[in-house]
Amino acid sequence: MKALYWTEIDDASWRLIVVATDEGLSYVSSPAATLDEVAEWCAKHYPGYTLTRDDERLGEYSGQLRAYLNGELTRFQLPLHVKGTAFQQMVWQALEQIPHGQTCSYSDIAERIGKASAVRAVGTAIGANPVLIVVPCHRVIGKNGALTGFRGGMDAKEKLLRLEGVLASR
């Protein structure tokens, strides 16, 4: 049986559950997610896998995420093992090209992948991104500059954009 490993990042500012296979990072939870919710997501997207806590095995994943959240890292160097449709994968790859400290719109992403008329589908694919922060969907904003939906919640999106210097600190 194949394994999914999980660990938790829990500090004063963030609480995230991180999940990976032997092949790479598979899921980063929203800050409010429970382990039961994460287990349900894992069962749906990785049927036949067992979910086991292994803080040591996921040390590099949690270490890089902590470094990013502390403002010490601007680009992740982690293997990914994410499941999605070919369209979703294309969108997620485009998200990875948005530099730290910059934003773009949903229509920008649609144009980058050669599907300019598929803005809504791009938004749906972005919403399905399983690895928050690492695949930086928080850097996508409305065409008018407004902050728009984020699986991690709007407070978390604002916090991430402030961390990257996109938004002024309060």
Side-chain angles (χ1 to χ4, degrees):
M1 187 171 261
K2 294 182 179 181
L4 283 169
Y5 307 100
W6 72 276
T7 191
E8 185 175 34
I9 296 172
D10 194 359
D11 64 29
S13 301
W14 294 93
R15 183 187 169 279
L16 301 169
I17 298 172
V18 178
V19 178
T21 65
D22 288 322
E23 297 161 58
L25 182 66
S26 301
Y27 187 75
V28 176
S29 76
S30 64
T34 66
L35 184 56
D36 286 343
E37 291 168 337
V38 171
E40 186 178 312
W41 184 92
C42 290
K44 178 179 178 183
H45 295 278
Y46 291 84
Y49 283 68
T50 60
L51 186 60
T52 306
R53 183 164 191 160
D54 194 330
D55 300 332
E56 185 176 329
R57 182 183 296 263
L58 297 186
E60 183 64 23
Y61 299 99
S62 59
Q64 285 194 36
L65 275 159
R66 282 180 204 276
Y68 167 82
L69 295 170
N70 289 320
E72 302 163 356
L73 181 77
T74 60
R75 186 154 178 86
F76 293 96
Q77 299 292 322
L78 296 171
L80 300 179
H81 181 209
V82 293
K83 293 186 176 185
T85 66
F87 182 80
Q88 288 172 328
Q89 297 280 349
M90 192 170 23
V91 169
W92 299 338
Q93 288 170 3
L95 295 176
E96 290 183 277
Q97 303 309 309
I98 306 169
H100 182 274
Q102 295 184 28
T103 60
C104 68
S105 70
Y106 294 88
S107 56
D108 292 335
I109 296 294
E111 289 173 20
R112 284 184 192 181
I113 65 168
K115 307 276 185 187
S117 64
V119 176
R120 285 182 186 231
V122 164
T124 300
I126 290 170
N129 171 23
V131 284
L132 294 183
I133 303 169
V134 176
V135 173
C137 54
H138 61 277
R139 296 179 188 152
V140 180
I141 60 174
K143 194 169 194 164
N144 63 357
L147 299 187
T148 55
F150 181 60
R151 177 170 60 87
M154 293 306 294
D155 287 344
K157 183 170 187 159
E158 285 184 39
K159 196 173 185 180
L160 292 167
L161 292 174
R162 284 187 206 299
L163 174 71
E164 294 189 14
V166 174
L167 298 177
S169 294
R170 290 183 184 178

